[in-house]
Amino acid sequence: MSALAKNYNRRKISFKKGKGSFLYSTNGKKYLDFVSGIAVNSFGHANPYLIKALTKQSKKIWHVSNSFQIPEGERLAKRLTQKTFADYVIFQNSGTEATEAAIKIARRYFYSIGQPKKNRILCVKNSFHGRTLAAIYASGSKKMTEGFGPKVDGFDHFEFGDHKSLKRSITSKTAAIMIETVMGEGGIKVVPDWCLKELRKICNQKKILLILDEVQCGIGRSGNFFAFDNSKVKPDIVPIAKGIGGGFPLGAVLMNKKAASGITPGTHGSTFGGNPLAMSVGNAVLDQIFKKGFLKNVQKLSKYFHSELNKLKEEYPKIIKEVRGVGFLIGLQLFDDQTKFVKKLMDNKLLTIRAAENVIRILPPLNVKKKEIDLAINIIKKVCLNYK
Ligand SMILES: *Cc1c(COP(=O)(O)O)cnc(C)c1O
């Protein structure tokens, strides 16, 4: 009997090692891993470059308090700001801490300019921003908040895609709008560029902050560094995590000068956030993401993957309803519940994971090979062929 509490319905499989896009189970089977720890293992398993960075740092310093200078963190923050909209970074250890920090930064900004009553955050109903108390109430999901009252106040909601309700929901108390640029858990729903531009415009008009949650869709997963890059929109605050650590727990919140102006010594902190081990791995992840041609290749191969999946959709129009997503954040929406399909893919040695709305999430490592995509397509095809 497991001593782990039952907060997960775990599949009955465990792995003894991984290499690149593959995982090897303890019972001797080889799986193509297109879950990537939910968009975390950006470079698959046992990536030699990341191993080198981690082991090298592990022999020097693992952890020091944030009351000292941490050069590895200075470097990672500088690189993140040089390549993005941001002027400042705060490091955390996870996605939900990053979204919490984003909320705090937004509220603190208005507090610092003498508008402490402007403190509500407007979010998408049934979105996902993590599992801390504030984050579950930000998500506006009944399922996630059930039994965890009293309700954490300060969040308002609108339906995804309902622009009228969005505009109606902005009040004099709204401090920020926070959305996922691509809804991950919610079913791989992409916010189109024109919507992002419109959002930016609305935020400017109403003098509120724009928070784009890139925890799942950021750090190259979309084919660009951020999923909002193509829109040319500049948000005020962006929480990131998942992909930036390549498997090492690492989160961060990026912000522009304005948003950062309320942050003074003592306003926020984290014991572990930004420790030298995490920072060294984060820098090694960026080394690879920023390598010339890397993101171009993600764009090229993911385009190929999408087009092959769309061919399957044409072949099996009664099974596959829609191919969703961007880059290597792919959703295969079925007409039926996807549980059985995910299981069958696993029986055929392809690991995927579900999302809302009957969607199968497909998240290969960003350095996946074309022949591995072909292998996945063949497995999906085989499962379609023998479906029901
Ligand atoms: C996963 C996720 C989070 C939470 O990240 P954790 O590391 O699990 O706390 C927050 N926002 C989005 C969009 C996510 O996908």
Side-chain angles (χ1 to χ4, degrees):
M1 214 187 74
S2 175
L4 292 171
K6 301 185 197 311
N7 59 328
Y8 279 103
N9 201 354
R10 296 171 197 271
R11 303 187 204 171
K12 288 191 175 45
I13 185 168
S14 60
F15 304 99
K16 61 179 177 217
K17 67 168 185 175
K19 193 165 193 300
S21 304
F22 292 95
L23 276 171
Y24 298 82
S25 69
T26 42
N27 60 358
K29 289 178 182 151
K30 182 182 176 183
Y31 290 85
L32 183 57
D33 178 18
F34 278 11
V35 177
S36 299
I38 314 188
V40 166
N41 304 112
S42 306
F43 301 97
H45 299 280
N47 179 262
Y49 191 77
L50 295 189
I51 291 176
K52 202 171 137 205
L54 181 73
T55 46
K56 197 170 158 205
Q57 184 61 42
S58 75
K59 289 171 193 162
K60 295 195 274 184
I61 305 170
W62 289 23
H63 178 85
V64 287
S65 159
N66 273 310
S67 57
F68 301 103
Q69 304 283 329
I70 301 177
E72 298 82 4
E74 291 283 350
R75 175 159 180 257
L76 184 53
K78 171 89 12 107
R79 296 173 82 191
L80 284 169
T81 55
Q82 277 168 346
K83 291 278 183 180
T84 70
F85 76 96
D87 299 305
Y88 294 101
V89 180
I90 293 176
F91 289 111
Q92 308 279 165
N93 313 285
S94 65
T96 197
E97 283 180 317
T99 58
E100 280 260 352
I103 295 162
K104 286 179 70 179
I105 289 161
R107 287 187 180 161
R108 182 77 193 177
Y109 165 71
F110 284 104
Y111 173 87
S112 75
I113 62 165
Q115 295 180 258
K117 287 194 178 138
K118 219 169 160 67
N119 55 28
R120 301 189 69 83
I121 315 290
L122 183 55
C123 308
V124 172
K125 193 155 181 53
N126 292 319
S127 54
F128 188 82
H129 299 291
R131 297 288 198 157
T132 54
L133 277 170
I136 59 174
Y137 285 96
S139 78
S141 143
K142 190 158 176 267
K143 199 171 135 203
M144 276 202 286
T145 52
E146 196 167 22
F148 295 115
K151 178 177 171 179
V152 175
D153 194 16
F155 300 98
D156 299 303
H157 297 96
F158 65 98
E159 295 282 343
F160 182 88
D162 186 348
H163 301 134
K164 275 189 195 141
S165 135
L166 159 64
K167 281 181 194 155
R168 223 185 305 117
S169 306
I170 300 171
T171 70
S172 60
K173 288 186 178 165
T174 306
I177 297 176
M178 175 164 77
I179 64 162
E180 298 165 74
T181 320
V182 181
M183 283 181 83
E185 307 301 310
I188 316 295
K189 298 205 275 196
V190 182
V191 178
D193 288 347
W194 70 268
C195 275
L196 292 173
K197 284 186 194 142
E198 200 59 29
L199 259 179
R200 181 68 271 181
K201 233 190 260 168
I202 292 170
C203 288
N204 290 350
Q205 278 162 5
K206 303 275 182 184
K207 293 191 168 42
I208 59 185
L209 300 174
L210 177 60
I211 305 172
L212 294 179
D213 183 344
E214 292 259 341
V215 169
Q216 187 158 165
C217 59
I219 324 300
R221 181 125 312 256
S222 68
N224 287 307
F225 189 70
F226 285 129
F228 60 77
D229 283 352
N230 273 340
S231 74
K232 303 271 188 284
V233 160
K234 288 191 190 333
D236 299 290
I237 305 172
V238 171
I240 61 172
K242 293 194 168 90
I244 182 70
F248 198 94
L250 170 56
V253 54
L254 279 61
M255 69 210 97
N256 60 21
K257 225 175 236 139
K258 175 178 160 185
S261 62
I263 299 300
T264 51
T267 47
H268 189 62
S270 166
T271 300
F272 295 116
N275 91 8
L277 265 189
M279 296 297 96
S280 297
V281 178
N283 273 309
V285 166
L286 287 193
D287 289 344
Q288 300 192 81
I289 298 252
F290 291 156
K291 222 184 235 163
K292 201 160 182 279
F294 181 80
L295 288 175
K296 278 269 171 309
N297 195 52
V298 171
Q299 288 167 18
K300 196 179 96 194
L301 276 184
S302 62
K303 208 170 148 195
Y304 171 72
F305 202 172
H306 282 261
S307 86
E308 290 300 301
L309 287 169
N310 272 307
K311 282 185 204 160
L312 284 185
K313 183 191 138 196
E314 302 293 311
E315 264 178 76
Y316 300 98
K318 294 207 170 108
I319 302 174
I320 301 171
K321 189 172 175 191
E322 194 185 354
V323 181
R324 292 176 169 182
V326 54
F328 283 138
L329 184 53
I330 303 173
L332 199 60
Q333 191 190 33
L334 304 190
F335 284 98
D336 288 343
D337 179 74
Q338 76 284 53
T339 316
K340 203 169 81 183
F341 204 98
V342 168
K343 167 86 172 33
K344 289 213 159 127
L345 291 174
M346 189 165 115
D347 293 343
N348 284 280
K349 312 293 182 297
L350 172 63
L351 302 176
T352 59
I353 188 159
R354 28 182 306 147
E357 301 189 350
N358 293 349
V359 167
I360 298 169
R361 242 182 311 176
I362 305 176
L363 307 161
L366 303 183
N367 62 349
V368 67
K369 298 187 177 80
K370 180 171 176 292
K371 65 177 186 213
E372 293 162 350
I373 292 174
D374 289 332
L375 175 60
I377 289 289
N378 280 332
I379 295 172
I380 297 167
K381 193 173 183 151
K382 188 175 157 198
V383 170
C384 284
L385 196 62
N386 298 306
Y387 196 62
K388 269 194 256 188

